[in-house]
Amino acid sequence: MPLLGVEKGALPRSNQAEAPVPLVQRPLPPARSPRDRERKVRGAGPRRRRPAAQVGPGPRSGTMPLGLRVKKKDKSKETCALVEGEPEGADGSHLPAPPRSPARLVFYTQLAHGSATGRVENFSNIRELYAKIAGVFEISPSEILYCTLNTPKVDMEKLLGSQIGLEDFIFAHVKGIKKSVNVYKSEDSLGLTITDNGTGCAFIKRIKEGSIIDSVKTICVGDHIESINGENIVGWRHFDVAKKLKELKKEELFTMNLIEPKKAFEIEPRSKAGNTSTGKIGTGRETLRLRSKGPATVEEVPSENNAKAIEKVDGLLETYMGIRDIELATTIFEAGKDKRNPDEFAVALDKTLGDFAFPDEFVFDVWGAVSDARRGL
């Protein structure tokens, strides 16, 4: 029987003389890294290049997923310095830490006619502030006419506007006695300057000496105007009330229903407001800026030049529109401080305060005040 794999008549390979094989010098195998030697010992085999058609990082059968046995790199000093939970960028660098939450701001308050002291916090605008004060003293927010800073008197120089010093004490003036007054309009100008508290309560901020209103002694600075000739104006802005009074016909009698603020036991003479709507703005301290839109922010008080410009704008509001509003004056000034010419300023006013329809003369005069502030005048 012939041997398997051997042709018939041929001798087995072991009995045949073998021809000498020439020596061929083969290149040495490439040196393997310790990681490859370790993989060989463990049976995983050297790492192979993945075919180009294969997509996805999933492991192949019979092998461990790449990177599982890779020794973790030591964290650099910069990485180790990160606090727990600090985010890292894609390149391993740490991202800037998120801004810290603002400090807790607490203000002390009383009712101007007398009360215990309360505390208010976490408000962003006048309406929220009034709600907080009302909650402290268990009254309705609509009962609050306005607030003054650091004095319980009806002092329009200290009227709370859009800024509160971080150390200011807030006095809330609430509704008191109602009164109805008849006024004969013998001249075009009544001599009234109107403002409002930001929540729909318009009141008298200034009475011009020798004017028609000055002759009616029952009308006082600080009185809330509730209605004119029977028309309820609660909720109107100050410029709408001023326009209503200006449109009253000359040589006619009209009626105003007023509400004066509740007073303490002492009786004081009627106060006369000064030329500005706020007291002198100090320097070197921070204030809480209240905004009708957006959160309140802590800001440095305006510089002396900017404060003068804002007061000028407030005076122009009284001259052209018969109102005083330091918040509105500040907004107007900020709209123009970075503009290059009056045309850009007018466009900015139309975008932010288009409802007011400011006359061109007013815009030009305000631009002059803004320009003076830039030059330090």
Side-chain angles (χ1 to χ4, degrees), residues 345-354:
F345 176 48
V347 172
L349 282 184
D350 288 340
K351 288 182 179 180
T352 56
L353 301 168

Side-chain angles (χ1 to χ4, degrees), residues 257-363:
N257 289 336
L258 308 173
I259 302 178
E260 65 181 40
K262 192 172 184 180
K263 296 180 176 64
F265 293 107
E266 66 271 17
I267 299 177
E268 298 180 358
R270 179 169 70 182
S271 61
K272 292 286 184 179
N275 294 327
T276 62
S277 59
T278 59
K280 292 183 178 180
I281 301 177
T283 57
R285 68 189 186 111
E286 293 180 321
T287 62
L288 182 68
R289 174 76 184 277
L290 303 179
R291 304 176 184 275
S292 57
K293 296 180 181 179
T297 55
V298 176
E299 301 177 354
E300 290 289 339
V301 294
S303 65
E304 184 177 355
N305 289 333
N306 289 354
K308 289 180 179 179
I310 292 171
E311 290 178 1
K312 288 181 181 178
V313 175
D314 199 26
L316 291 171
L317 284 171
E318 181 179 18
T319 301
Y320 283 93
M321 305 183 68
I323 62 175
R324 281 274 185 173
D325 189 334
I326 194 65
E327 180 182 1
L328 178 60
T330 303
T331 302
I332 293 173
F333 174 77
E334 290 180 347
K337 65 182 181 181
D338 59 345
K339 300 300 180 289
R340 295 173 295 181
N341 53 61
D343 292 335
E344 290 186 1
F345 176 48
V347 172
L349 282 184
D350 288 340
K351 288 182 179 180
T352 56
L353 301 168
D355 294 339
F356 286 87
F358 296 118
D360 293 340
E361 296 83 0
F362 171 81
V363 176

Side-chain angles (χ1 to χ4, degrees), residues 116-245:
T117 300
R119 302 197 312 171
V120 291
E121 57 183 310
N122 297 329
F123 56 89
S124 297
N125 51 55
I126 294 293
R127 191 176 298 276
E128 292 180 3
L129 171 59
Y130 285 7
K132 295 286 185 178
I133 295 174
V136 169
F137 299 109
E138 297 181 350
I139 60 176
S140 171
S142 61
E143 289 295 309
I144 300 176
L145 297 177
Y146 45 82
C147 293
T148 52
L149 300 176
N150 306 317
T151 178
K153 297 181 180 180
V154 180
D155 186 352
M156 296 295 106
E157 298 282 343
K158 303 297 183 181
L159 190 67
L160 186 152
S162 61
Q163 293 183 334
I164 307 175
L166 300 188
E167 297 180 357
D168 284 343
F169 198 104
I170 303 172
F171 289 90
H173 298 255
V174 299
K175 293 179 179 178
I177 299 174
K178 292 187 176 184
K179 50 192 177 184
S180 181
V181 182
N182 295 323
V183 181
Y184 181 73
K185 189 177 181 180
S186 59
E187 302 175 6
D188 291 328
S189 175
L190 293 172
L192 275 179
T193 299
I194 308 298
T195 190
D196 62 44
N197 65 358
T199 64
C201 175
F203 57 93
I204 300 170
K205 188 169 187 179
R206 186 180 179 187
I207 298 176
K208 185 178 180 180
E209 189 174 356
S211 64
I212 296 174
I213 297 298
D214 188 43
S215 64
V216 185
K217 299 306 178 182
T218 53
I219 301 177
C220 302
V221 168
D223 286 354
H224 163 48
I225 304 176
E226 187 178 36
S227 66
I228 300 174
N229 284 337
E231 183 178 4
N232 191 323
I233 62 170
V234 176
W236 288 25
R237 291 302 310 272
H238 44 39
F239 55 88
D240 290 325
V241 179
K243 182 179 179 182
K244 175 72 175 179
L245 291 171

